[in-house]
């Protein structure tokens, strides 16, 4: 059985822009909000979406498990 621990930092969904329902962490630790579901970048280490659909969310520690960081806004989370 594989156990994935929750990321040490998870963005505060009350800070997410309205209707931006995705968050993910790049390998360097930075978190971003996404209006549309992002995809892993071809070169690795980053999540990608159209630049108008990506916004910096906060800092974090470098994360070798960045591919496991994609989160969808939890049901019932405040949409500011």
């Amino acid at each position: 059985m594989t156990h994935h621990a929750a990321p040490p930092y998870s963005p505060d969904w009350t800070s997410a822009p309205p209707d931006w329902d995705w968050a993910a962490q790049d390998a360097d630790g930075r978190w971003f909000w996404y209006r549309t579901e992002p995809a892993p970048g071809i070169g690795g280490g980053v999540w990608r979406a159209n630049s108008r659909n990506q916004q910096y969310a906060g800092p974090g520690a470098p994360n070798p498990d960045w591919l496991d960081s994609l989160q969808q806004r939890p049901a019932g989370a405040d949409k500011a």
Side-chain angles (χ1 to χ4, degrees):
M1 178 166 109
T2 303
H3 175 353
H4 294 284
Y9 165 81
S10 185
D12 176 2
W13 284 100
T14 62
S15 299
D19 300 319
W20 289 54
D21 292 338
W22 297 92
Q25 184 183 36
D26 288 348
D28 67 4
R30 294 180 301 160
W31 282 89
F32 291 88
W33 301 119
Y34 294 93
R35 188 185 333 243
T36 57
E37 184 175 359
I42 293 172
V46 296
W47 290 93
R48 287 288 175 241
N50 181 293
S51 62
R52 290 174 299 202
N53 294 331
Q54 178 176 327
Q55 179 177 315
Y56 181 71
N63 182 2
D65 296 324
W66 64 276
L67 272 172
D68 295 327
S69 70
L70 181 63
Q71 301 175 26
Q72 189 169 13
R73 184 188 295 266
D78 187 17
K79 286 195 172 193

